[in-house]
Amino acid sequence: MEEILSQFTEYLQKEKKSSENTMLSYTRDVREFFAFLKESDIHDVRKVNRTNLISYLYRLEKQKKASSTISRSVASLRAFYHFLELRGEIRENPALDIMPPKTVRKVPLILSKEQVELLLMQPDSSKPIGKRDKAILELLYATGIRVTELISLQVEDVNFLLSYLRCKVKKKNRIIPIGSKAKEALMIYLEQGRNKLLHQDTEKHLFLNYNGKQMSRQGVWKIIKGYTLQAGIEEDVTPHTLRHAFAAHLIENGADLHAVQEMMGHADISTTQIYTKRLENKLKVVYNQAHPRA
């Protein structure tokens, strides 16, 4: 089964051109399904039927897995059996009509503006690494880009003259404005920090690690975790937390929902609408506190 899983991973990478995150998630989900099959004394993935799949999903529910996790597992298994179907290994995809549970969208953790400001103050801008980290934090909050998009940025993707960032995802580009604070932090990093980290002039990535190479997702996560602790912020802050703060604070200040959707690269407006729930809750609190008939 490991051999066919390896072929599936290669298919996702080379034929489907899936992102690294998708490839890793799908491979992990299918490997976990293989473990379930082994426990069930099923040693041939081509003999799996709809009942086996439903049993597996029922187990995930019993393990109290999040509905979003189960939904992704369904997508992973659909993709895997579609792959087998394309290869002629099976006649029908048993996962085709398996329905994932309804995902309940929860309002994500949103840092206050004061907490974000505190976090952005933490890097020591007297050092090259501090200049880099300051630019990273400012850019994440100013643009709402994902950490994978951040580490993929190249120097040429920043337009200082027109104050925007070009974010490239697969074949799609999106243009995101850069605020003055993020622009200033980026300029300082490029002028006084990046050249100290750069080892080879051929390196085009914007943000570099100690070795002068492209930063990793894990590296950015560790940086933010460190500054979160340093700032005394108790919440579990990740790069995505700053993405949430970007969207929520824009909407709270009256930004158009469709504009925020475009900047964040959301395919569906309903994904962006989740940030309006926080605003609605705040308005209810204000109303209940201020209205004489509340």
Side-chain angles (χ1 to χ4, degrees), residues 5-20:
L5 183 58
S6 178
Q7 292 172 0
F8 174 59
T9 303
E10 186 177 357
Y11 157 77
L12 291 173
Q13 185 179 30
K14 295 183 178 179
E15 295 186 37
K16 295 293 289 181
K17 306 295 182 185
S18 300
S19 68
E20 184 181 359

Side-chain angles (χ1 to χ4, degrees), residues 167-226:
C167 189
K168 295 176 286 190
V169 183
K170 294 185 179 180
K171 295 181 180 179
K172 294 182 179 179
N173 287 354
R174 71 180 193 274
I175 302 299
I176 310 172
I178 306 174
S180 59
K181 296 290 186 182
K183 182 178 175 180
E184 180 185 5
L186 273 173
M187 291 182 73
I188 292 173
Y189 164 63
L190 284 172
E191 292 171 0
Q192 304 172 27
R194 186 177 182 275
N195 59 329
K196 304 288 179 61
L197 299 172
L198 186 66
H199 291 186
Q200 294 181 332
D201 292 338
T202 53
E203 179 57 66
K204 302 299 182 185
H205 285 99
L206 178 60
F207 293 111
L208 308 178
N209 58 23
Y210 282 102
N211 298 318
K213 301 292 185 182
Q214 176 189 14
M215 292 189 70
S216 66
R217 296 176 70 254
Q218 292 80 3
V220 178
W221 275 63
K222 287 180 181 178
I223 287 168
I224 292 178
K225 290 292 184 186

Side-chain angles (χ1 to χ4, degrees), residues 224-253:
I224 292 178
K225 290 292 184 186
Y227 288 129
T228 301
L229 289 172
Q230 188 174 306
I233 298 172
E234 296 181 357
E235 285 80 1
D236 183 20
V237 180
T238 70
H240 222 71
T241 307
L242 289 174
R243 177 172 164 84
H244 292 320
F246 160 80
H249 295 170
L250 274 177
I251 291 170
E252 283 179 17
N253 288 327

Side-chain angles (χ1 to χ4, degrees), residues 13 20-21 27 29 42 61 63 70 111 113 131-132 156 176 197 205 213-214 216 227 260 265 277 289:
Q13 185 179 30
E20 184 181 359
N21 286 348
T27 301
D29 289 342
I42 299 173
E61 288 183 358
Q63 292 174 342
I70 300 175
L111 294 178
K113 294 170 187 176
K131 291 180 174 67
R132 180 202 66 186
E156 64 180 18
I176 310 172
L197 299 172
H205 285 99
K213 301 292 185 182
Q214 176 189 14
S216 66
Y227 288 129
V260 176
K277 291 183 179 180
Q289 290 176 344

Side-chain angles (χ1 to χ4, degrees), residues 63-93:
Q63 292 174 342
K64 299 190 182 303
K65 298 289 185 181
S67 57
S68 56
T69 300
I70 300 175
S71 294
R72 194 197 61 223
S73 294
V74 170
S76 302
L77 293 171
R78 280 179 180 169
F80 175 68
Y81 278 100
H82 179 62
F83 159 74
L84 293 184
E85 195 176 15
L86 289 174
R87 293 294 186 272
E89 299 285 344
I90 58 174
R91 290 185 179 181
E92 295 181 358
N93 183 345

